[in-house]
Amino acid sequence: MSRGEVERAEPVSGCPEPIGYALWHLEEAREWTLSYVDGISQPALDVVPQGHRYSVATLLYHIAVFEVDWVYTDVLGNDYDMERRIPGCPTEVAAVLPYPLLLDDGSYTTVAGEPLSTHLERLTVIRRHLIEVFTKMELDDFRDPRPSGDIEVTPEWVLMHLARHESEHRGQIWVARVAAESSKPAESP
């Protein structure tokens, strides 16, 4: 940012202002995530660096499927089913989610071999549908609690949670990328 420039939050239009600001915050988190994977090589995308639990690809998939789960299960009230994935989500969304949210042991689904463009398209499709859901929402509904497991959550809280979730994983993505790009390939015997 150059001297004299002012950074401002600009709410997403077409919805009540509090929803627009929450969506802006989520979009800001996504912009940073995209900048962290810009130009990443396929090996750096797919490798699980030594000392890490997940690859960048796996973390990108997790961000995407986690977002869908919160919107279509917790906000819109559909049931999650590991076989059918997330019922009630649009066909276009289901089509970009070929793997389950989590494995039976609770770990993230491992994703490898997909080009960065596939991950970016997945994130774009899902975000477009999320914005559509929230821009159609009335402010009272945005603040109305819904059951989520043993607690209740509001759609307002879900957007804050998704932005925080993505930001936390973005840090893991950066560390995994740097480790993958700086590691020496294994020597052949």
Side-chain angles (χ1 to χ4, degrees):
M1 176 157 74
S2 63
R3 188 171 177 89
E5 274 188 59
V6 177
E7 290 283 332
R8 296 186 194 284
E10 296 291 332
V12 170
S13 62
C15 57
E17 198 170 82
I19 299 172
Y21 277 112
L23 289 170
W24 173 86
H25 188 74
L26 193 61
E27 287 289 82
E28 181 75 4
R30 177 60 49 83
E31 283 185 35
W32 280 97
T33 300
L34 297 178
S35 74
Y36 279 34
V37 297
D38 186 41
I40 192 170
S41 68
Q42 191 67 42
L45 185 65
D46 289 340
V47 71
V48 177
Q50 186 173 358
H52 294 261
R53 189 167 180 191
Y54 301 111
S55 68
V56 171
T58 294
L59 290 166
L60 289 172
Y61 189 80
H62 174 72
I63 288 169
V65 74
F66 189 86
E67 189 167 298
V68 170
D69 183 47
W70 273 101
V71 172
Y72 291 96
T73 303
D74 298 280
V75 171
L76 297 177
N78 297 311
D79 292 325
Y80 188 81
D81 179 326
M82 289 301 281
E83 291 304 314
R84 293 181 15 232
R85 306 300 189 263
I86 301 168
C89 72
T91 305
E92 183 184 20
V93 172
V96 298
L97 296 171
Y99 318 111
L101 175 66
L102 298 170
L103 300 177
D104 289 337
D105 67 1
S107 63
Y108 303 165
T109 299
T110 301
V111 178
E114 294 182 341
L116 180 61
S117 61
T118 299
H119 291 282
L120 299 180
E121 177 64 17
R122 177 181 295 123
L123 292 167
T124 298
V125 166
I126 290 166
R127 182 55 58 83
R128 183 173 60 246
H129 283 275
L130 175 145
I131 289 173
E132 184 178 314
V133 165
F134 279 90
T135 55
K136 291 178 179 177
M137 196 174 283
E138 297 294 325
L139 190 55
D140 288 346
D141 194 29
F142 185 59
R143 293 184 169 147
D144 187 36
R146 286 127 162 91
S148 175
D150 295 338
I151 62 169
E152 289 190 331
V153 298
T154 65
E156 183 174 34
W157 180 89
V158 167
L159 288 184
M160 179 277 307
H161 181 63
L162 289 172
R164 185 180 65 213
H165 176 260
E166 183 157 338
S167 297
E168 290 168 356
H169 284 304
R170 182 176 59 246
Q172 289 179 295
I173 286 169
W174 184 250
V175 171
R177 178 183 182 169
V178 168
E181 291 175 342
S182 63
S183 66
K184 296 179 183 173
E187 294 184 31
S188 4

